Amino acid sequence: MHLPINNNTMSAVIPKDNDGYCTIYKMDCPDGLGLITVYEVYPGIHLIYNDFEATECGWEETFDSDMLEINHCREGREGSQLPSGSCLYLGPGDLSIHTMDNCAKTMSFPLKHYRGISVVINLRNVTENPPEILSESGIHIPSFKNKFCADGTCFIMRAKDEIEHIFSELYSVPNCLRKPYFKLKVQELLLFLSMIDVSSEKQREQYTAPHVDIVKEIHQKLTSNLQERPTLESLSKEFLINISTLKTTFKGIYGQPAGAYMKEYRIKQAAILLRQTQKSIAEIANEVGYENQSKFATAFRHIMKISPTAYRRENTLKIPP
């Protein structure tokens, strides 16, 4: 996630301390909000917490090739279209590395929820004023640019245990320990990256912008009327996209095969109706595309681990007399 500077999508900048170590940026998005918390761990190295409840967030800054960004996705999904025209998506546990001149002007969050961490490194600053402890470790940070981003590429690593170990602990750090702990974790991350053999890593797939646009149209069609259940074959013909490409791209964007995604989507919409309306379970079942209340109850229990009746009872707001 980009380090926000002078962006008109920011509705507020909230300093958390007097020494500039931590600053919170509140982001105005077209259909939601974002919160970006920035820590200056070392001169030229920032650790950033990203929390978004929106489908996208736009940027205006232009960054140069001497800024390196490392992104880790914790929850949800993050997507972007690179200047080359290809599109990439990160799912939980995935890691990406790119120079800031190769980043998109708009970040998308297909599930309307994203939580992750970024480490942004100003290579020029770090070269001129290297943190002493990083120099002693033998890490040559400027070499990461050629190692991971040669010829303007974006390196995307699939989720793996080593990445999980480094980042998982960063999501539950006590306030009193953040300064020293962030320094240690940044060192650990950079040591890990210095040992990676890029040629042996199986990277995340990238997708073409035209295919992504078509699949987003298909997603809109699928979610706009849950009582309809078009087949992938019919969608493939209607939108003129190869069915194999449709399946692959849909899963790449939304994290699940279309069938599994829509089953979960229907049930989550049903859960909202159970909480917020007085409609009968039969009416709700029909509204989300189930003609048979029994099949709906079975699907609901499978996804939510509770029956629709019990879910409504446990989640209905009780208004005092």
Side-chain angles (χ1 to χ4, degrees), residues 130-321:
E132 182 178 355
I133 193 164
L134 293 179
S135 300
E136 292 173 354
S137 70
I139 301 172
H140 188 246
I141 299 175
S143 67
F144 286 5
K145 178 178 175 180
N146 289 329
K147 179 176 182 177
F148 296 106
C149 310
D151 302 319
T153 58
C154 178
F155 180 77
I156 311 170
M157 186 184 297
R158 293 174 180 268
K160 58 195 305 182
D161 291 342
E162 295 91 330
I163 300 173
E164 175 67 15
H165 169 72
I166 293 170
F167 282 94
S168 61
E169 297 168 344
L170 282 168
Y171 292 94
S172 57
V173 183
N175 290 340
C176 61
L177 297 178
R178 281 183 174 172
K179 283 193 177 184
Y181 198 77
F182 287 169
K183 291 180 183 292
L184 289 172
K185 297 304 286 189
V186 166
Q187 290 177 60
E188 185 180 8
L189 171 62
L190 297 176
L191 281 168
F192 167 70
L193 295 178
S194 71
M195 295 185 291
I196 287 176
D197 179 1
V198 173
S199 63
S200 67
E201 292 293 332
K202 186 175 181 180
Q203 298 188 44
R204 278 289 182 205
E205 301 83 357
Q206 297 188 23
Y207 309 93
T208 67
H211 288 155
V212 168
D213 290 341
I214 290 172
V215 169
K216 286 183 176 180
E217 287 185 48
I218 291 173
H219 176 269
Q220 174 63 26
K221 180 180 178 70
L222 290 171
T223 56
S224 61
N225 186 347
L226 297 181
Q227 292 181 318
E228 293 185 359
R229 289 178 176 263
T231 65
L232 292 182
E233 289 77 9
S234 67
L235 291 168
S236 171
K237 293 177 181 178
E238 179 182 352
F239 288 88
L240 302 177
I241 182 173
N242 177 275
I243 191 166
S244 177
T245 302
L246 167 55
K247 290 178 178 179
T248 301
T249 308
F250 192 101
K251 185 176 181 181
I253 297 173
Y254 298 102
Q256 293 178 288
Y261 176 89
M262 286 307 300
K263 180 178 181 180
E264 188 169 312
Y265 186 90
R266 284 186 165 86
I267 295 305
K268 288 184 176 179
Q269 294 304 302
I272 293 172
L273 294 171
L274 286 167
R275 294 195 307 268
Q276 298 181 359
T277 76
Q278 297 299 315
K279 294 179 180 180
S280 70
I281 291 177
E283 289 175 317
I284 291 173
N286 180 260
E287 191 166 327
V288 299
Y290 286 87
E291 294 181 1
N292 184 303
Q293 184 176 334
S294 176
K295 288 184 178 180
F296 165 71
T298 299
F300 192 95
R301 183 182 288 276
H302 176 75
I303 299 293
M304 304 298 290
K305 311 304 179 187
I306 190 173
S307 72
T309 302
Y311 180 87
R312 168 170 271 175
R313 184 171 58 247
E314 292 183 9
N315 291 275
T316 299
L317 292 174
K318 295 179 173 59
I319 302 174

Side-chain angles (χ1 to χ4, degrees), residues 50-67:
N50 307 294
D51 288 280
F52 281 84
E53 298 296 330
T55 55
E56 66 176 38
C57 185
W59 311 85
E60 290 185 351
E61 287 78 40
T62 299
F63 296 98
D64 62 39
S65 60
D66 284 326
M67 292 186 70

